[in-house]
Amino acid sequence: MSSAPKEEPVKPGNFLRSIIERDLAEGKLATRHFAGTPGDAAHHAAGPIDTAKIRTRFPPEPNGYLHIGHAKSIWLNFSLAAEYGGVCHLRFDDTNPEKEEQEYVDGILDAVRWLGYDWQAHGTSHLYYASHYFDFMYRAAEALVEAGHAYVDEQSADEMRANRGDFNTPGTPSPFRDRAPAENLARLREMRDGKHADGAMVLRAKIDMASPNINLRDPALYRIKRATHHNTGDTWCIYPMYTYAHPLEDALEGITHSICTLEFEDQRAFYDWVLERLADLGLLAQPLPKQYEFARLNLTYIVTSKRKLRQMVEEGIVDGWDDPRLPTLAGLRRRGYTPESLRLLAERSGVSKAGGWIDYSSLDIALREDLDAKAPRAMAVLDPLKLVLSNWNEVIGKEQTLPCTAPLLPGRDDSAQRQFTLGPEVWIEREDFMEEPLKGYHRLSPPRFDGKGARIDGSIVRLKYGYVIQCTGLKKNFDGTVAEVQAKLIPDTRSGTPGANAVKTKGVLTWVAVHDALPAEVRLYDRLFTEAQPDAAGRDFKSCLNPDSKKIVSGWLEPTVAAAEAGHSFQFERHGYFVADRIDHAPGRPVFNRITPLKETWAK
Ligand code: ATP
Ligand code: MG
């Protein structure tokens, strides 16, 4: 088990903070203008000095559901902005017409809100769509063509690939590379006007076919693709490439620090190249955004690739995008993980250039830390066995029940109390009884004879918050399984009364009285995979699915849980943290999900 420090750690190293502090100290960001909405250089120049000291953004592509890795990026961008008096934009990077859907847009908005972040600042909504910038992106493309920085290439895709070269071989310039700007412009307009077939030609930046950075060997800026876009419909039949679109989006929005994951490191040179050209041409405002990369969050025992998540949903390996076993934010939320626990994980995982794996147990540790102080306690029996208290009528009284009280939040002096009752029959956990107890077993066992014929008394235990009892016997089913356990109350041992501790016990049992137990469906979730890195080294993640990742049991809950609303979490004493399922739980029909046991039980 990997352990996280108990006390709140000093803010872990974060090189981005140092960069921001340096930039703020130099004062070069303080003179930026921001017109209140995204726009080009002229638009911003006409606006006031930006009141936001920095601008960051979280730019998801709406082609799937967000996962725990995105939570880190969301936390990082929003919290840096908040910390330094800035603003964080939520931007849908929806420039690719093929895979994007409104369902995902809604899911992403929901997830960001649930995590506790807001794109409203200074009375303005900073929710943006990259597809709103298509006009500008096209205008910028024409400007690059006119300035001789871009050309239309009519090579086939195969030729282009072959002529790009590789790490050891410089690329070969396209025969179309030296066409005159006027001819390129005419061609680009034909592309836009639908005069050419999909894939017949592309617009490319004219940079350096021999660059050691292959991303600078004349990358594509625009492609022809007849596809209906979820926002702009059939207005366009050409679409900008991600690597061209992204820096422009940042610049139009006045982003100061464009934070992304390490796989974009090699794109940074092109990011700067294109923005500098467009600023020189007077189209984009200075100072330009700067890109910074950090290592992505990798958590063991999950997969986060959108393709693989989709495959699990589509093949029915899980029950939808919000299956409580998935690392999607919708799934984690349904499972019962809290926004605070995800924030804690993100914070503790640090922000650096060095990638690494974080053990899944870190998330459970964060969850327990968050819920320990918040989640009301209750008793629950998840594998019930009936216990009959044979002398109830003599000790307590016929048709009487015994009021019991217990703290809602133990360990707090001001904790409210919960109230329930003990009766002549209670449910206990099946594992709390052993007919032939093993050495060191301190729970219930019946009177019996040892190997030498000597009589051993039934064991004595306390029913938590209730009474001390002694086991007197058991009843069996025809198949030999235990049907019922019998015990007697030991008088004057009621919890909380003077002398209650006169009889010493080694075991304390949790229980729920039969007469007022609340029946509930309880879903016991566990990890989806048996391997720490399910899709590492080309392994098919389906080969290491955990067959026991979901078990559904019928349990009995303490009656105090009856008022639980969907989404409320509890600590079921000794079992762990549970949440009333967001979707299926209803007051008359309780359904609970296990978030995590109280202790790490996963065998390594
Ligand atoms: P996938 O590769 O799983 O399809 P993606 O990274 O392409 O996801 P985007 O919608 O482009 O998904 O991601 C939005 C932002 O979230 C990007 O800035 C990306 O760098 C960041 N991000 C994605 N995964 C992680 C991760 N595991 N850790 C930190 N940031 C991440
Ligand atoms: Mg991406």
Side-chain angles (χ1 to χ4, degrees), residues 57-61 63 67 69-70 72-73 259-261 263-264 294-298 304-306:
R57 85 283 173 271
F58 174 64
E61 187 178 351
N63 63 349
H67 55 64
H70 294 118
K72 175 151 186 185
S73 178
I259 299 164
C260 60
T261 37
E263 66 270 25
F264 295 102
F294 72 103
R296 57 199 293 129
L297 174 71
N298 292 314
T304 54
S305 136
K306 280 175 192 156

Side-chain angles (χ1 to χ4, degrees), residues 6-32:
K6 260 287 175 224
E7 314 87 57
E8 207 43 52
V10 195
K11 278 191 173 158
N14 178 335
F15 71 98
L16 294 171
R17 284 204 185 96
S18 321
I19 288 169
I20 293 170
E21 285 164 19
R22 177 203 67 197
D23 291 348
L24 290 173
E26 284 175 3
K28 64 184 176 195
L29 300 177
T31 54
R32 291 172 308 115

